[in-house]
Amino acid sequence: MDAVLKAFHEWDADGGGTIETEELEAVMHRISPKWRPREISDLMNQIDTNGDGVIDLDEFVSWLTDPMAKQTLHKDGWFGSFDLRAVIKPLCDLFDKDKRGVVTLEDFKECHTILRTSLQLHPCAHKDKTLSIAEDADTAFQSVDKDGDGHIDFEEFCLWQGEVMRKSGIPNSILPDVIDELVSALSLILDIDRMSKRGQQIDGSLQALQDGIAKLANTSRQVYADKKLIELGKNEESDKNAEVPAFKNTWIEPAPDERAMLMLVRQCASDIGVTLVADQRGGRRGSIR
């Protein structure tokens, strides 16, 4: 979010607290002289949602945290295209475990349940007034399956993810990295679950599952827990004093002790149908069967 605020103040060349058409035009021309007046006007209309002819800070932040936006400010400060479909494709592929090209109810339930459980088990979950994927899997599936044909295609999946991610307030610039982490953690848990269902003994799986759940809880909360964008002041002093929401991937508030983490692992494992068996050699290592 610091990068977003920095960009706003850079684009607001005269420090007036808003970005005017001339300032937006100057920024776009620095990026590329090929920007035409019509394109700049269209961009201005896209960001200036209240139609007052200028872009205020709330509008700027809302634009850069809208996953459905076609253009955004990247991590390096460069303005360019943004494609939610490309960002979401690996996650959709993970839901579609049999690679049918669509997500069935069975596939959806498995992934949705793990995400929902990890989201609710996060130590900070009690602070989340609303969770974007808090509804049960059957209800969620029916709402995502817009045409009611019994499966979710890629377009429906993207629409669903775009709608729930819009509420999180996460900047588009870091969304690809966060989704990569989400896919990685979810893949680990799914792999452990599927190997256990085949009767495979996995040495050290308790620690692996513990790490996977902690990572998934962080990233799922980052992406799916609703966060109301704060209303930052329009002057320099209020900007300095404003409480900017943090989007760091940390396991804090409070840091769970070892016993709490083991309980967390076992509860999440139980919710997804995994049976954990303690390693006979002792310690924190374990096996799954």
Side-chain angles (χ1 to χ4, degrees):
M1 185 60 76
D2 289 342
V4 174
L5 295 175
K6 180 181 178 181
F8 178 82
H9 293 306
E10 289 177 350
W11 290 28
D12 176 23
D14 63 4
T18 59
I19 300 171
E20 301 172 357
T21 301
E22 294 77 11
E23 292 171 323
L24 181 63
E25 182 177 356
V27 171
M28 294 300 102
H29 283 165
R30 285 202 304 270
I31 295 174
S32 173
K34 295 181 179 180
W35 273 82
R36 294 173 294 182
R38 176 65 181 178
E39 293 173 323
I40 296 174
S41 177
D42 289 343
L43 180 61
M44 185 71 179
N45 292 333
Q46 177 186 345
I47 307 173
D48 176 26
T49 54
N50 66 7
D52 63 357
V54 296
I55 301 169
D56 60 36
L57 183 55
D58 289 339
E59 290 171 329
F60 191 74
V61 172
S62 295
W63 168 55
L64 293 181
T65 56
D66 179 6
M68 307 304 287
K70 300 300 182 183
Q71 296 167 311
T72 195
L73 193 66
H74 295 288
K75 287 191 298 185
D76 58 3
W78 192 254
F79 180 79
S81 61
F82 179 76
D83 184 4
L84 178 66
R85 293 168 58 88
V87 173
I88 293 302
K89 186 64 165 62
L91 184 60
C92 185
D93 289 343
L94 194 59
F95 270 71
D96 177 21
K97 68 176 182 179
D98 294 325
K99 311 307 175 189
R100 301 183 181 95
V102 294
V103 178
T104 65
L105 176 58
E106 180 182 358
D107 294 344
F108 185 85
K109 280 184 175 181
E110 183 176 24
C111 291
H112 184 277
T113 299
I114 295 173
L115 286 173
R116 181 174 179 237
T117 301
S118 67
L119 190 59
Q120 293 173 333
L121 290 178
H122 192 283
C124 302
H126 66 282
K127 298 181 180 181
D128 299 323
K129 296 180 180 179
T130 307
L131 302 177
S132 296
I133 57 172
E135 56 191 350
D136 64 83
D138 288 293
T139 301
F141 185 87
Q142 292 177 8
S143 65
V144 178
D145 180 20
K146 300 296 185 183
D147 58 12
D149 62 358
H151 60 254
I152 297 171
D153 60 29
F154 184 54
E155 296 301 327
E156 291 170 328
F157 190 88
C158 287
L159 181 60
W160 169 51
Q161 289 293 303
E163 288 174 348
V164 297
M165 289 178 185
R166 181 182 282 117
K167 300 176 183 179
S168 73
I170 186 170
N172 292 338
S173 59
I174 66 173
L175 189 56
D177 292 339
V178 175
I179 295 299
D180 282 346
E181 291 184 12
L182 182 71
V183 169
S184 174
L186 183 56
S187 294
L188 173 63
I189 294 175
L190 288 171
D191 286 343
I192 292 175
D193 181 34
R194 289 163 187 169
M195 284 188 286
S196 73
K197 289 177 179 177
R198 293 196 297 266
Q200 293 180 252
Q201 298 258 339
I202 314 168
D203 186 38
S205 57
L206 180 59
Q207 183 63 49
L209 186 59
Q210 175 178 317
D211 294 342
I213 291 173
K215 184 176 181 180
L216 186 62
N218 281 321
T219 52
S220 61
R221 184 173 185 265
Q222 200 170 2
V223 175
Y224 298 120
D226 294 353
K227 303 179 185 71
K228 181 179 179 181
L229 290 175
I230 60 173
E231 293 185 0
L232 296 174
K234 298 300 185 292
N235 57 66
E236 183 178 359
E237 188 61 30
S238 60
D239 286 348
K240 290 180 180 178
N241 297 330
E243 182 182 352
V244 180
F247 297 101
K248 295 181 179 179
N249 184 14
T250 53
W251 184 267
I252 56 175
E253 303 179 356
D257 57 23
E258 180 178 356
R259 182 173 178 276
M261 270 308 302
L262 289 175
M263 290 178 63
L264 174 68
V265 169
R266 291 190 178 279
Q267 182 175 345
C268 189
S270 175
D271 288 339
I272 64 176
V274 177
T275 302
L276 291 173
V277 180
D279 193 320
Q280 294 181 353
R281 290 172 296 178
R284 291 179 297 173
R285 297 169 66 84
S287 300
I288 288 183
R289 67 183 182 191

